Amino acid sequence: MTSSISARLGAMAAFPLLALTVASCQAPGTRAQSTHDPAEPWNWSDDVVRAEVNHVRAGRDLNPASWPGGARVAVLLSYDVDNETVYGLRTGEVSVGPLSQGQYGSRVALPRIVNLMDDENIPATFFFPAWSLAGVIASSGMHEIAVHGWIHELNTSLDGATEERLLRQAVAAIEEITGVRPVGYRAPSWNHSPNTLRIVRDMGFLYESSLMHDDRPYELVQDGEATGVVELPVEWILDDAPLFNPRGNSYMNPRDLMQVWIDEFDKAWEEGTMFLLTMHPHVSGHRSRIVALEGLVDHIKAKGDVWFATHEDAARYVREQAGM
Ligand SMILES: [Zn+2]
């Protein structure tokens, strides 16, 4: 338990008094009605600053003393299967060229990725906008299907009622197609509106995977109140999309990026925590990029002492270990 205790101490040090202060002066689940001017944050009162930063925070560390089978590290591979939704569909700016890149995702890249996971016997989690779902569920059955919005809508631009309606629609669509109600939520574009976490809680999701407070699993805290929702955190460093965009300004050579993933994994292994990598089939499923994924898998398997798991299995395990 020692590693777990030191990890908990680390989490407590990172968990500020701010949250406790706000919890004592504000009803759980409500947003502060501050009269502050968003254009002048330097003039906000202490209370306003505390309330603003404390809406969604990291709570207790849920990293277990060890993972199933005594493994040192949990390896969670996730794929956001955006396809056409991010090539204009979500904004209504539909255009043939970009849409063809989206179709490449479902037509070529996703089967390539699923075949690799199946050949390597690695369970993975696939987050789908409901509009990406049709026709691509022919996987082995060991993978998890989770939800990634209705049409990859930008939830930060929606009112709460619309955001909730779209998410409920998406969950119903996935359940109808797969026969299983998804238990995991990943926000499109990895951001929450002021309503997102409330909706996620109301809908009873087991876990959320869009935030970045830690690289270990933890419990989300909303306005000072523990939510019972497990966060499986992501990071832009551990996302293929910005770094593999050949027209972006942060492009990286796939083999160089593979080394970043390997270094992240090695440190997670050393610390006995979790390695969660987000990929996109339409991005990493290209021939020159899947080489990087293959190299990473080879490295992880050679290192050994790992637990490959879906996000759902990891979330259930950490909850159980923490007695939640
Ligand atoms: Zn996405």
Side-chain angles (χ1 to χ4, degrees), residues 136-212:
V136 289
I137 305 297
S139 63
S140 63
M142 71 175 160
H143 306 302
E144 175 192 2
I145 305 292
V147 66
H148 192 42
W150 172 250
I151 198 164
H152 212 284
E153 61 277 10
L154 258 188
N155 49 15
T156 48
S157 68
L158 301 173
D159 63 79
T162 306
E163 183 181 352
E164 180 162 353
R165 175 172 63 79
L166 294 179
L167 188 54
R168 287 189 183 277
Q169 240 171 252
V171 165
I174 290 175
E175 188 173 6
E176 194 183 320
I177 294 170
T178 66
V180 180
R181 184 180 170 85
V183 299
Y185 173 72
R186 173 166 288 165
S189 303
W190 283 354
N191 202 359
H192 281 201
S193 77
N195 302 298
T196 304
L197 185 53
R198 194 245 333 138
I199 296 168
V200 165
R201 295 173 69 182
D202 286 353
M203 291 179 68
F205 280 102
L206 170 70
Y207 73 89
E208 206 288 333
S209 183
S210 327
L211 302 176
M212 313 185 190

Side-chain angles (χ1 to χ4, degrees), residues 8-251:
R8 287 211 164 83
L9 286 173
M12 284 176 69
F15 185 57
L17 293 172
L18 295 177
L20 301 174
T21 313
V22 168
S24 63
C25 64
Q26 194 184 324
T30 59
R31 261 211 97 142
Q33 293 302 311
S34 17
T35 53
H36 58 283
D37 180 353
E40 293 185 1
W42 49 88
N43 286 329
W44 292 356
S45 68
D46 290 2
D47 284 350
V48 168
V49 172
R50 288 195 178 92
E52 284 300 318
V53 300
N54 277 319
H55 291 308
V56 179
R57 299 291 269 191
R60 62 176 155 160
D61 170 26
L62 297 178
N63 202 69
S66 74
W67 295 96
R72 285 191 63 85
V73 59
V75 174
L76 276 52
L77 300 183
S78 52
Y79 299 94
D80 295 358
V81 192
D82 298 336
N83 296 337
E84 285 95 335
T85 63
V86 292
Y87 287 103
L89 202 51
R90 68 170 175 169
T91 56
E93 291 160 19
V94 291
S95 185
V96 173
L99 285 176
S100 71
Q101 277 189 290
Q103 194 184 355
Y104 181 92
S106 57
R107 183 180 168 84
V108 179
L110 183 60
R112 191 175 274 149
I113 295 274
V114 172
N115 285 342
L116 175 62
M117 293 296 98
D118 290 353
D119 289 349
E120 294 287 350
N121 198 29
I122 296 175
T125 297
F126 293 81
F127 290 92
F128 282 90
W131 266 106
S132 278
L133 207 55
V136 289
I137 305 297
S139 63
S140 63
M142 71 175 160
H143 306 302
E144 175 192 2
I145 305 292
V147 66
H148 192 42
W150 172 250
I151 198 164
H152 212 284
E153 61 277 10
L154 258 188
N155 49 15
T156 48
S157 68
L158 301 173
D159 63 79
T162 306
E163 183 181 352
E164 180 162 353
R165 175 172 63 79
L166 294 179
L167 188 54
R168 287 189 183 277
Q169 240 171 252
V171 165
I174 290 175
E175 188 173 6
E176 194 183 320
I177 294 170
T178 66
V180 180
R181 184 180 170 85
V183 299
Y185 173 72
R186 173 166 288 165
S189 303
W190 283 354
N191 202 359
H192 281 201
S193 77
N195 302 298
T196 304
L197 185 53
R198 194 245 333 138
I199 296 168
V200 165
R201 295 173 69 182
D202 286 353
M203 291 179 68
F205 280 102
L206 170 70
Y207 73 89
E208 206 288 333
S209 183
S210 327
L211 302 176
M212 313 185 190
H213 302 93
D214 206 312
D215 36 36
R216 300 162 296 187
Y218 56 90
E219 181 177 10
L220 284 173
V221 166
Q222 185 170 29
D223 293 321
E225 180 191 51
T227 62
V229 176
V230 175
E231 177 64 29
L232 299 174
V234 296
E235 231 302 323
W236 290 112
I237 314 168
L238 290 163
D239 182 335
D240 60 355
L243 300 171
F244 273 172
N245 179 359
R247 301 165 79 194
N249 51 18
S250 54
Y251 176 74

